[in-house]
Amino acid sequence: MKKSLGKYIGKIVFSITLVTVAVLMVSLYISTTRLLTQRNLLSQQSAAQSLLRNNSNFKDSTQRELFRLAAGKVFNSKSFNDSDIKQVLKDVQNANVQVKYSGFATKNGAPMSINGTSFSKHSF
């Protein structure tokens, strides 16, 4: 009976190929996982930075707009028209979500405020 080395060599080659494919697959999985994790972290950092930058820009533009409104004639006249002031305060609150509460007081201490849809004068 002759023994053939072909079967043994075939099994060894097949085993080496199978182990190589398994090692490559595990290596590929690990590198892909690392890459995706890094990209995810970079995306999160970028999104957070963008959100902070946009929030800062929004606050700056809100502040500039409020200074512009405060310099307007509705708030700088000798006699104040309550309905004009009420309308400006409502418009500011409706146009900008960062302005939650607004109010106005004359130099002689007559404060007015607008809360939601109600407008009222307060005496302190």
Side-chain angles (χ1 to χ4, degrees):
M1 199 176 195
K2 292 183 176 179
K3 289 193 173 186
S4 172
L5 291 176
K7 288 183 182 180
Y8 293 117
I9 292 174
K11 288 180 182 180
I12 291 172
V13 170
F14 180 74
S15 298
I16 290 172
T17 304
L18 188 61
V19 169
T20 304
V21 168
V23 168
L24 286 174
M25 289 180 62
V26 169
S27 176
L28 181 63
Y29 174 78
I30 291 171
S31 66
T32 303
T33 302
R34 284 182 185 163
L35 179 65
L36 289 175
T37 301
Q38 289 174 348
R39 286 185 179 177
N40 191 19
L41 289 174
L42 288 175
S43 293
Q44 288 174 359
Q45 288 174 349
S46 176
Q49 289 172 351
S50 177
L51 183 63
L52 290 173
R53 195 170 34 254
N54 287 340
N55 193 29
S56 177
N57 291 342
F58 193 49
K59 285 181 182 179
D60 291 344
S61 69
T62 300
Q63 187 175 19
R64 281 192 304 274
E65 184 63 21
L66 289 174
F67 282 134
R68 187 189 68 75
L69 285 171
K73 82 175 197 178
V74 172
F75 297 108
N76 289 312
S77 62
K78 293 197 180 228
S79 63
F80 299 102
N81 184 334
D82 289 353
S83 64
D84 289 344
I85 293 170
K86 173 184 173 183
Q87 187 60 45
V88 168
L89 294 178
K90 275 187 179 182
D91 290 345
V92 168
Q93 282 183 302
N94 291 335
N96 194 323
V97 296
Q98 287 196 333
V99 179
K100 294 180 181 163
Y101 305 102
S102 58
F104 173 76
T106 61
K107 288 183 181 181
N108 65 6
M112 294 179 277
S113 68
I114 182 171
N115 296 322
T117 58
S118 64
F119 183 74
S120 58
K121 283 189 177 183
H122 302 284
S123 58
F124 295 110

